[in-house]
């Protein structure tokens, strides 16, 4: 069981889009993935075609009522499984903010309730570094960082990398990470400059595959679909399939244990 946290503290970089479409691509590759929505905005849940979730269910039920994770799995219209989010997740920081042990709840839950599936698990993280994100990072094997091809996102990834380095020292464990450039516009020199800057600083940690700006990627969530269901022959679908294959070939979805 490999656990991958998809995380960036900056909004608008394609975090949920990346989590959604890599999960869908892994399903196409018969990897039987499971997605966890840890963002109270529940955008991954909605984009996956899951609607009408009771407010006190999904990941909120796990944290608030210790409901076993395996009983919270929901099948998406495409067939892969998700544990959905609701706005109730926003209360978890207030509920557990003073409890040092709360950050390990998800790690224990995954090991005890989902480990036997052997499936890759992708977590769409909350953009804030609070209890929910700490749960994801402590439970994860690896971190995938989407970075859009613009100057502010470039600065954001440097700060995020520094924050992960601090956490590594504090937690006495490493976070294997990969950076994927999203919203890449081949018509703009800036996009190439951002990519080259990241490659120069982080080297092999930066994925070779770049996710280009594509209307299908922006439109598919409006239809509660991943890009493969909405526009399977689009450039966006091709990019995310190529990215998933690159990560599969590198062993990124293979358990670290």
């Amino acid at each position: 069981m490999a656990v991958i946290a998809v995380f960036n503290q900056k909004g608008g970089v394609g975090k949920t889009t990346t989590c959604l479409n890599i999960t869908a691509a892994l399903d196409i590759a018969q990897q039987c993935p499971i997605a966890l929505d840890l963002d109270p905005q529940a955008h991954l849940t909605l984009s996956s075609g899951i609607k009408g979730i009771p407010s006190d269910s999904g990941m909120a039920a796990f944290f608030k009522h210790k409901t076993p994770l395996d009983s919270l799995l929901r099948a998406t219209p495409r067939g892969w499984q998700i544990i959905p989010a609701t706005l109730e997740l926003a209360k978890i920081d207030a509920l557990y903010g003073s409890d040092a042990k709360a950050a390990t709840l998800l790690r224990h839950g995954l090991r005890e309730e989902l480990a036997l599936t052997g499936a890759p698990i992708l977590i769409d993280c909350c953009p804030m570094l609070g209890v929910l994100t700490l749960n994801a990072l402590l439970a994860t094997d690896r971190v995938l960082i989407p970075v859009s091809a613009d100057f502010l996102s470039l600065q954001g990834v440097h700060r995020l990398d520094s924050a992960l380095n601090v956490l590594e020292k504090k937690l006495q464990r490493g976070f294997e990470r990969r950076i994927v450039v999203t919203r890449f516009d081949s018509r703009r020199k800036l996009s190439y400059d951002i990519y080259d800057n990241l490659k120069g600083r982080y080297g092999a940690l930066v994925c070779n595959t770049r996710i280009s700006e594509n209307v299908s990627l922006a439109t598919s969530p409006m239809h509660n679909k991943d890009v493969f269901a909405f526009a399977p022959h689009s450039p966006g679908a091709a990019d995310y399939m190529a990215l998933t294959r690159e990560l599969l070939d590198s062993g990124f979805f293979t358990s670290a244990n």
Side-chain angles (χ1 to χ4, degrees):
M1 178 185 70
V3 183
I4 313 298
V6 184
F7 178 49
N8 196 320
Q9 292 172 287
K10 187 182 183 303
V13 298
K15 175 180 64 67
T16 299
T17 299
T18 295
C19 190
L20 171 70
N21 290 307
I22 287 181
T23 302
L26 285 170
D27 184 62
I28 292 170
Q30 299 183 330
Q31 298 296 309
C32 303
I34 295 172
L36 272 58
D37 194 347
L38 270 191
D39 191 336
Q41 298 178 95
H43 289 169
L44 179 63
T45 299
L46 290 171
S47 299
S48 301
I50 303 295
K51 302 178 183 179
I53 303 297
S55 62
D56 213 21
S57 63
M59 290 304 307
F62 168 74
F63 285 106
K64 293 181 68 176
H65 308 303
K66 307 299 187 291
T67 305
L69 291 170
D70 53 3
S71 70
L72 296 171
L73 290 167
R74 295 278 300 266
T76 67
R78 291 280 283 173
W80 45 271
Q81 297 187 97
I82 186 173
I83 301 182
T86 64
L87 191 58
E88 196 71 13
L89 269 179
K91 300 178 182 179
I92 300 304
D93 271 292
L95 188 64
Y96 287 115
S98 60
D99 184 357
K101 296 181 180 179
T104 62
L105 290 172
L106 184 58
R107 181 178 67 186
H108 294 311
L110 289 174
R111 288 179 177 177
E112 294 171 7
E113 297 148 22
L114 291 183
L116 293 179
T117 67
I121 296 173
L122 286 87
I123 306 175
D124 189 26
C125 295
C126 175
M128 296 178 294
L129 194 57
V131 171
L132 291 173
T133 299
L134 285 174
N135 264 272
L137 292 176
L138 285 176
T140 196
D141 298 310
R142 302 178 179 98
V143 181
L144 181 62
I145 306 170
V147 182
S148 58
D150 62 73
F151 176 74
L152 292 180
S153 290
L154 179 64
Q155 301 308 305
V157 75
H158 296 334
R159 290 192 294 270
L160 176 55
D161 185 64
S162 297
L164 289 174
N165 290 337
V166 170
L167 277 175
E168 284 180 332
K169 292 179 181 179
K170 185 174 182 180
L171 300 174
Q172 296 185 331
R173 55 155 297 183
F175 293 110
E176 183 181 344
R177 63 199 80 165
R178 293 290 187 278
I179 298 166
V180 56
V181 175
T182 63
R183 307 190 69 176
F184 186 90
D185 188 341
S186 60
R187 300 167 299 178
R188 299 167 60 206
K189 182 177 181 297
L190 176 62
S191 291
Y192 293 96
D193 290 343
I194 296 295
Y195 182 78
D196 291 343
N197 187 301
L198 287 168
K199 269 290 191 180
R201 180 159 180 169
Y202 299 107
L205 298 185
V206 181
C207 296
N208 293 321
T209 305
R210 301 174 296 218
I211 308 300
S212 299
E213 283 275 25
N214 179 246
V215 66
S216 295
L217 292 175
T219 307
S220 57
M222 295 174 57
H223 297 270
N224 308 120
K225 294 180 178 181
D226 60 77
V227 73
F228 301 100
F230 179 72
H233 303 297
S234 65
D239 284 350
Y240 271 110
M241 184 57 73
L243 173 63
T244 303
R245 287 172 178 160
E246 178 182 343
L247 293 171
L248 277 169
D249 290 345
S250 71
F252 195 69
F253 297 115
T254 303
S255 176
N257 296 330

